[in-house]
Amino acid sequence: AFTNDVEKWHILGFFDDLVRTPVFLFLCAMFLCGAAAGGLTGLRAGEGDGAAVLSGLLAELPAHVVQSTLCALIWVLLPLVCAFLRPRELLLSAVAAARGFVLAMTVAVSVGEGNALIIGAAGVPAVLSVSALLAACSMVWQGGEATGRYSLRTCRMPYFLCITLAVLSALLRAAIAALCNV
């Protein structure tokens, strides 16, 4: 008999287990709900709206690399702040939904304005930053549970990897913006 053993592609060991948890799936659903709301809000945005202002800030990104990097760090560090507040789970869900809202709104406004620069500068690096944020939220959520196997002590290195991904995302965003402005 012919057997075809296909090797499974696994994410780095720790994250492989993390992305298979119900908490991670729930946070992904919250992110998508926020993205749907942000996309609809961005499509309805007009001149002078805060959404258009946010979109305009991305166009000036190459001059504001430090601020962009700090903003990316804040998104990934917010789950640690939520770890000390109650109700932690609700706040972590709100962080995931808010990130989806802001990202989708920025992209939707840029689609409305026909600005491909903003789509590239916001969308492509978001693959890294959103993954880092959802993993960070999942670690904090499960680290706070009494029986959870993801304690914040054992998650130091994976959380640092999430922070590194967020910084790389911000630098990639600035590089894409700089390349498109040339």
Side-chain angles (χ1 to χ4, degrees):
F2 179 76
T3 60
N4 187 4
D5 293 325
V6 178
E7 289 186 35
K8 293 182 180 180
W9 286 68
H10 291 287
I11 304 170
L12 299 172
F14 178 85
F15 293 105
D16 188 36
D17 291 337
L18 186 69
V19 299
R20 297 172 192 251
T21 62
V23 168
F24 184 81
L25 294 176
F26 176 75
L27 289 170
C28 287
M30 292 304 297
F31 174 82
L32 291 174
C33 288
L40 293 173
T41 301
L43 289 175
R44 303 275 303 159
E47 290 293 320
D49 279 349
V53 171
L54 179 64
S55 178
L57 289 175
L58 274 178
E60 301 170 4
L61 185 61
H64 304 288
V65 175
V66 174
Q67 291 92 338
S68 175
T69 305
L70 288 175
C71 184
L73 280 174
I74 288 171
W75 277 112
V76 177
L77 293 175
L78 271 175
L80 288 178
V81 173
C82 294
F84 298 106
L85 303 173
R86 299 291 179 254
R88 173 184 33 254
E89 294 81 9
L90 179 64
L91 295 172
L92 290 168
S93 300
V95 167
R99 180 65 178 119
F101 182 89
V102 170
L103 180 64
M105 183 182 63
T106 304
V107 171
V109 167
S110 63
V111 167
E113 295 175 350
N115 193 343
L117 163 69
I118 295 173
I119 295 171
V124 174
V127 172
L128 295 175
S129 64
V130 169
S131 302
L133 176 67
L134 292 174
C137 285
S138 295
M139 285 185 272
V140 169
W141 184 320
Q142 293 179 28
E145 294 177 354
T147 60
R149 81 175 249 227
Y150 300 98
S151 72
L152 292 179
R153 276 199 181 135
T154 61
C155 293
R156 285 183 186 154
M157 188 54 106
Y159 206 94
F160 179 74
L161 182 59
C162 291
I163 291 171
T164 304
L165 284 174
V167 170
L168 287 174
S169 170
L171 295 175
L172 180 61
R173 186 180 316 121
I176 290 172
L179 287 173
C180 291
N181 279 340
V182 172

